[in-house]
Amino acid sequence: MDTDIGGDPDDAIALAVASGLPELALVITSDEHDGRRARLARHLLDLLGREDVHVVAGKDLGNDAYWAADGLIPEDIAAQHGDVVAAVRDVLEQAGGGLVRWLSIGPMSNLATVITEIPDATKRLIVTQMGGELNYRHADRAEHNIRLDIPAARTVLGTGMRIWIMPADITFHPENEITSSSIEYEMIAGAGGPWELIRAHLDQWFANFHPGTMQHDALALALAMGMAFLRFSRKGVGFDEIGRMTAGDNPVFLTHSADYSLFRNWLCKWLDQVIASSAT
């Protein structure tokens, strides 16, 4: 799981859900923020009882916008090492030649580095990417995860590797938003213990940036897990000079619809399970 955790708290919610998957082996941080994203991921995983999951600090793109986790990382949480390629090699070796799911809910910088340094990884990584947008909300600006590192996105897309994409066309939807009155927020706020971290993270986001958080990344996680409430089709895409997704020659599996009611039920079910597990 490759995440830019620490900004919009949808990353933290997706990571909390993913912590309930025994096969989660590695978390890499993208768009790193002076090592803080990796330390936040380490702290959250420790609180959720997943000390076994390795955390690696990935590429720092110099972006310092939208940080919403001030004061939430204890000083005794050490900086995490930054050897992404070695960490991925370890996971590939542990998989014994089998396929490995890679969920990217941030820029594709780390993945581009990995496939450059480990070319055979293109045959073994099954990639799900949250990013891109065909029907632009802003005609002069690309979707966040793509525009932060356009060369990386183009590198990954050009390999022809298997990629499932969850575009912003699907994730930006009123039924996909969690606010302070949503049942998910009530579940998190009422859980106590390790969930106080996520509640405080949500509250910072609501107070400083926006009164809601679209669940971009939990939807991408659901796509990676093959949930039937998402529909996708094979489509050729590309990225233009400013990172906007266009029709192109690179085939991907592009999500085109979602049943948001079923998704929210799925999300609540997983949150309930992980909350119960973290309480024992």
Side-chain angles (χ1 to χ4, degrees):
M1 187 171 181
D2 189 356
T3 171
D4 55 351
I5 190 172
D8 189 328
D10 66 320
D11 288 81
I13 290 173
L15 180 55
V17 171
S19 74
L21 299 171
E23 63 266 36
L24 180 64
L26 174 65
V27 171
I28 305 168
T29 52
S30 55
D31 187 24
E32 185 45 75
H33 200 310
D34 296 327
R36 291 192 285 181
R37 297 194 196 278
R39 292 178 63 233
L40 178 61
R42 176 73 276 156
H43 182 42
L44 178 56
L45 286 166
D46 289 348
L47 290 174
L48 294 172
R50 292 304 307 269
E51 297 89 348
D52 59 306
V53 177
H54 297 293
V55 175
V56 179
K59 189 172 183 179
D60 191 327
L61 299 175
N63 174 48
D64 59 2
Y66 305 120
W67 181 253
D70 282 336
L72 301 184
I73 310 169
E75 292 184 4
D76 62 351
I77 302 297
Q80 305 298 295
H81 78 81
D83 196 339
V84 171
V85 172
V88 174
R89 284 189 193 277
D90 287 345
V91 173
L92 291 170
E93 290 176 5
Q94 291 166 17
L99 300 177
V100 174
R101 283 186 290 183
W102 178 295
L103 172 62
S104 177
I105 51 178
M108 296 194 223
S109 314
N110 296 317
L111 182 55
T113 297
V114 165
I115 61 178
T116 299
E117 296 294 324
I118 315 174
D120 287 347
T122 60
K123 302 174 183 177
R124 296 187 55 199
L125 295 177
I126 308 300
V127 176
T128 302
Q129 174 68 44
M130 193 282 123
E133 185 177 20
L134 278 174
N135 300 306
Y136 311 120
R137 289 167 299 114
H138 307 284
D140 61 343
R141 189 176 71 187
E143 185 275 330
H144 176 82
N145 286 344
I146 304 303
R147 74 172 182 264
L148 283 184
D149 196 339
I150 300 166
R154 284 178 158 176
T155 294
V156 172
L157 207 61
T159 65
M161 64 193 301
R162 287 160 291 194
I163 304 175
W164 275 255
I165 292 181
M166 174 58 67
D169 307 72
I170 303 302
T171 61
F172 273 106
H173 192 282
E175 293 181 54
N176 193 36
E177 186 174 37
I178 289 177
T179 68
S180 59
S181 61
S182 299
I183 187 172
E184 294 91 345
Y185 180 87
E186 293 175 0
M187 292 172 68
I188 290 167
W195 297 88
E196 282 295 311
L197 172 63
I198 298 180
R199 181 202 57 74
H201 186 19
L202 284 161
D203 289 346
Q204 275 198 38
W205 177 260
F206 296 158
N208 297 333
F209 298 105
H210 197 274
T213 168
M214 295 287 179
Q215 293 309 290
H216 310 285
D217 298 338
L219 261 179
L221 174 61
L223 180 62
M225 293 171 65
M227 294 297 102
F229 49 73
L230 299 170
R231 296 285 186 269
F232 54 83
S233 59
R234 191 80 159 166
K235 188 176 183 66
V237 301
F239 295 113
D240 70 11
E241 67 280 358
I242 65 169
R244 293 173 300 190
M245 183 182 283
T246 63
D249 299 327
N250 305 289
V252 301
F253 296 99
L254 186 68
T255 308
H256 59 72
S257 64
D259 186 319
Y260 299 100
S261 178
L262 289 178
F263 164 66
R264 296 291 287 269
N265 288 340
W266 173 87
L267 181 57
C268 286
K269 177 182 176 181
W270 269 101
L271 284 173
D272 189 52
Q273 290 178 358
V274 179
I275 287 170
S277 177
S278 66
T280 57

